[in-house]
Amino acid sequence: MDSTRVTEHPTSFDRPSTGADPTDPRGALLPAPVPPRASGSALPAQGRTGETPPTAGEDSPGVFEHSQPGAEQAAEPDTHRPRPGAEGVPVQPDGGQPDGGQPGGVPAGAAPRVAPSDGSALDGMPGGGQAAEVRPGSEVPAGATDRRDAPAEPDRRTGQPTAPGQPTPMRRDGDRLRFVGAATRRIARGMDLDEIVMGLCRATVPTFADAILVYLREPLPVGDERPTGPLVLRLRRTDRIPAERDTEGGFAPAAQPEPSELETVGAELCEVRPGSALAEVLRGVRPVFTDTPAARAALPELLGEERDFALPDGRRAILAPLRGRRRVIGAALFLRGPERIPFEADDLLVAAQLATHSALGIDKAVLYGREAYIADELQRTMLPENLPRCTGVRLASRYLPAAETARVGGDWYDAIPLPGSRVALVVGDVMGHSMTSAAIMGQLRTTAQTLAGLDLPPQEVLHHLDEQAQRLGTDRMATCLYAVYDPVSHRITVANAGHPPPVLLHLGGEAEVLRVPAGAPIGVGGVDFEAVELDAPAGATLLLYTDGLVESRLRDVWTGIEQLRERLAATAQLTGPDHPPPLEALCDEVLDMLGPGDRDDDIALLAARFDGIAPSDVSYWFLDPEDAAPGKARRLARRALARWGMEDLTDAVELLVSEVVTNAVRYASKPVTLRLLRTDVLRCEVGDDVPQLPRLRQARATDEGGRGLYLVNRLARRWGATRLSTGKVVWFELNRG
C-alpha cells in the first residue's frame, strides 16, 4: 500500500442512487455507484456512526472525494454534486414535486422544499431554505415520477404510509435544532407579555403543532413575591391552523366552515386543586404526552369536564408546564389533528425548550412591566396631579419622558398659591433622567413648596434650594426658574438658576424672550441669585419650559428658543390680535415643533395665562389696632359690597370680617390690613404682624372666645392662614351667589 495515500473523509450525507425507484422505502438514501478503486487505493470510506463500512469491490463501490496531491485518481471526481434538502420539511398539499432531478439543486428522490402560501420566509420551518416547486401544468422532467400521482410512501420511522401532500415529521435532529433556534429567536423578540405569548403561538403553529393553548397564572407573581390564594390558570391565547385557507391570498374564507375538534378545546378559567392530577403534572415540570394516565386525568381539570372528548386520540397532544425562575406560572398544550402524524419522543424535548424559553421570557416581561409601573407611579406622584385654581391666572402643563425606556426624569413644574392672591410658578431640571434624578427632583420640589409657603422672595428660595442640593451630594446639579405673579399689581418677579429664559406671548401676537439673569445652577454653591420685576399685562401668556424642548443633538439651545418664539407668534396669529390662543391647544402646538431627533431629554412645560384683577375689583384699607377697628371694618366692607352690587352677601361678610379683624387687633402691634377682591368669588384677606397662625378648636361652654374661626369654617366656602416674613394673612372666600 502506498504510504502517500490517505483514508477518504466520511461524507456528510448519502448520495441519491441514479435510477432508483422513487417508491423505494429507502428513498433518497441509497448509495450512488462509482467506478471501482484502482489497486493501491486508499482505505474504504468510513460510513456514518453506527453503520458498517462497505467492502471495496465491484459490489461495494467506494467514494473518492479527498486525496493528497499527487495521488492516483481511479475515478472521475464529482465537482458539482448538489446538496440535498432537509428531509423534515413538510410537503404542502399544493406543492406537488417530481422525484427526478430538478433545477435548483434538489436531488432526485428527495422531497423539495415548498414556500409557504403566504409568501413568508421559512424562518420557523425546520431546514428552511429556498423553495423549488413544480407549478400545475408544467412539464415533469424525463425519468421522474409525479409525486401527486405516486402511491403513498411509508414513513421511514413509523412505517405508516403518508398520504401525498401531507406534512411529514421532523426526521433529523438538525431539523429540530433549526426549528428550536428559529422559535426561540421569535419568542425572545417580545418585550411585553402579549408579544412573548404571541411569539410562542406563531412559532409553533403550523410547524410543530396544528393548535396551541397557552394558560397563565392569574394573577402572575412578580419577582420573589409569594402568590396568595389558590392557583388559578386563565386561557391567555390560542392559535390554530384554519380549517380552510385561500392558497393564493392566504386569507380565511368569508363563510367559515364547521368547527373542528381542535377549535372546541379549552376552557377560559380553571382552578388547580391541591393534590389533583393537574397539580401533579404541573409539579413535575417536564412535558408529557396526554395519553399517559396522569395527563389524561389532568386534562378534564384544565379544559373543562365537558370538553375532554374533543382531544385527538394517541400521541397527538403534549402538555408542557411553564416554569419561571421560582415557580410554575402556566401551561401550554400542543395539539395535532388526526390527519397529521403523532408526536414522537424527541418532540418532548422541543416542547420543553419552547416552554422554558417562553416561561423565562414571561417572567422577565412581568418584571419589566412592574419596573415600568413603578417608574410611572414615581413620576406621576412627583409631579402635581392637578394644577391649582388660582385667582387671576389660568394654567396648563405637559410632561414628556425622554424615551419609552426612560420614563422618569429630573424635570418638574409646579404652581403654588401664595398669600395675597399671588401664585408662584416653578420649573426645574435635575441632571439626568433616571430614578435617582427623579428622587432628587422630588426632594427639591418639596423644598421649593416649603419655601414658597414661607413667602420668601424668589432669590431667597433659589438660595435655599442651592443649599439643599449641596446637602444631598456634591454632584447634585439642577437648574430652576422661580417666578411670582401678582394679579393685583400685574407684575411678575423672576429669579433664575441656570435655566433657559421664559417666553412671554403678548395679546397682540408678539412673542418676547424675557431678559432675566442667567445665574448659576443649583448645587454649585457660594453664588448669589438676582431677581428682576417685569410687567405681566392682562391677556399675556408666560411659557416656562425645560431645555429638552429647545435643545437636542440637531440644534443648540438658542436656535431652539428662537424656533419656539416663532412658533408661538405663528400660533397667536391664527386666533387674531384680540383673542389669545387657548392654553391647551397652545401647549400641543408647542410640542408639535419637536422633530424625530429632538427627543434627547425629558420635557416639562408650564403655561400661565395672566388674566389679572382689575383695580375696580380691589378694595384695600389699613386699620389701627384699636377697639373700634372691627366696627370700622364692617362699615368699609358694606360700602364695597354695595358698590359691586353684592348686597346679598352683606350679612355674612360683616360677621366674618368682624371676627377675623377682632382676633387680629387683639394681638397686633402695627396697623392691620383689610382687602376685598372681586373675581369669580369674593375673597377677603386680613393681615397683621403676628407670625402665630390661628387654629380651629372647639370652645367649651364656659369660654368667652374661641368661636370666631368656627363661624368662618361654617359659613365660608373655604378659608386658610399663611405665614409671611412680616406676619401672617388670614383669608376666606364666599360664593358670589
Side-chain angles (χ1 to χ4, degrees), residues 350-651:
V350 177
Q353 288 290 327
L354 297 177
T356 300
H357 283 275
S358 301
L360 294 178
I362 291 172
D363 249 2
K364 294 178 181 179
V366 172
L367 285 174
Y368 173 76
R370 172 59 63 89
E371 290 181 357
Y373 171 78
I374 292 174
D376 289 341
E377 286 296 305
L378 176 63
Q379 188 68 64
R380 186 185 63 82
T381 54
M382 291 296 183
L383 297 175
E385 185 174 358
N386 295 306
L387 293 173
R389 296 184 59 184
C390 303
T391 303
V393 62
R394 286 174 287 171
L395 302 170
S397 62
R398 294 290 188 275
Y399 176 81
L400 293 179
E404 192 68 21
T405 55
R407 305 191 182 196
V408 295
D411 292 15
W412 90 91
Y413 61 88
D414 213 342
I416 309 169
L418 298 178
S421 299
R422 296 172 299 154
V423 59
L425 307 174
V426 191
V427 65
D429 183 4
V430 178
M431 180 178 60
H433 40 80
S434 62
M435 301 285 282
T436 302
S437 302
I440 297 173
M441 176 265 288
Q443 297 182 66
L444 293 180
R445 178 173 177 248
T446 303
T447 304
Q449 290 178 332
T450 304
L451 296 172
L454 300 176
D455 199 27
L456 298 179
Q459 63 272 21
E460 290 295 327
V461 172
L462 295 183
H463 175 72
H464 289 292
L465 285 177
D466 180 62
E467 292 180 340
Q468 176 66 13
Q470 294 180 65
R471 285 190 290 267
L472 295 177
T474 56
D475 58 343
R476 307 309 188 193
M477 305 289 293
T479 62
C480 183
L481 190 142
Y482 189 94
V484 176
Y485 170 65
D486 189 344
V488 177
S489 63
H490 296 270
R491 303 281 289 178
I492 184 171
T493 306
V494 184
N496 190 15
H499 204 78
V503 180
L504 184 65
L505 179 62
H506 293 272
L507 184 60
E510 178 188 358
E512 174 190 5
V513 180
L514 298 183
R515 298 178 178 270
V516 296
I522 291 174
V524 174
V527 295
D528 293 331
F529 299 97
E530 182 181 354
V532 295
E533 189 173 351
L534 305 170
D535 289 330
T541 304
L542 183 69
L543 198 70
L544 307 179
Y545 54 90
T546 56
D547 58 354
L549 180 66
V550 295
E551 185 180 19
S552 68
R553 291 170 293 178
L554 305 179
R555 60 184 178 184
D556 61 86
V557 61
W558 290 108
T559 301
I561 292 175
E562 181 62 23
Q563 293 179 0
L564 173 61
R565 189 193 65 80
E566 294 175 354
R567 188 60 174 263
L568 290 175
T571 304
Q573 296 297 328
L574 299 177
T575 57
D578 299 330
H579 301 281
L583 276 182
E584 299 293 339
L586 182 64
C587 291
D588 294 336
E589 286 293 328
V590 168
L591 294 181
D592 285 344
M593 67 178 282
L594 297 173
D598 294 339
R599 291 290 303 280
D600 299 331
D601 196 2
D602 44 342
I603 299 171
L605 179 66
L606 179 63
R609 173 71 45 77
F610 298 144
D611 294 332
I613 300 177
S616 58
D617 293 331
V618 180
S619 297
Y620 193 84
W621 304 279
F622 286 94
L623 303 174
D624 293 328
E626 55 187 15
D627 295 340
K632 184 177 181 180
R634 290 193 294 269
R635 292 193 300 271
L636 295 174
R638 188 185 310 116
R639 294 173 187 173
L641 294 176
R643 186 170 64 252
W644 293 335
M646 303 171 64
E647 291 85 354
D648 54 335
L649 298 178
T650 301
D651 294 339

Side-chain angles (χ1 to χ4, degrees), residues 71-147:
E72 182 179 357
Q73 299 289 337
E76 182 180 357
D78 183 6
T79 58
H80 300 287
R81 180 177 57 189
R83 190 174 186 86
E87 297 178 357
V89 181
V91 178
Q92 301 298 328
D94 60 344
Q97 305 292 341
D99 289 334
Q102 303 176 19
V106 181
R113 299 184 179 91
V114 180
S117 60
D118 57 358
S120 60
L122 300 176
D123 180 43
M125 301 290 292
Q130 297 295 329
E133 64 176 332
V134 177
R135 301 184 180 276
S138 62
E139 211 172 21
V140 180
T145 303
D146 191 346
R147 187 175 294 273

Side-chain angles (χ1 to χ4, degrees), residues 168-205:
T168 59
M170 291 183 277
R171 289 174 287 185
R172 288 183 178 177
D173 293 338
D175 298 336
R176 289 187 171 86
L177 290 176
R178 284 190 291 270
F179 166 69
V180 170
T184 52
R185 286 194 301 271
R186 189 164 193 170
I187 294 170
R189 284 197 293 261
M191 286 293 294
D192 58 17
L193 180 62
D194 293 332
E195 290 178 351
I196 293 174
V197 175
M198 182 183 294
L200 171 62
C201 295
R202 296 291 172 84
T204 303
V205 178

Side-chain angles (χ1 to χ4, degrees), residues 7-11 37 42-47 53-54 62-63:
T7 304
E8 177 193 18
H9 293 279
T11 59
R37 223 184 258 99
L43 293 176
Q46 297 292 333
V63 178

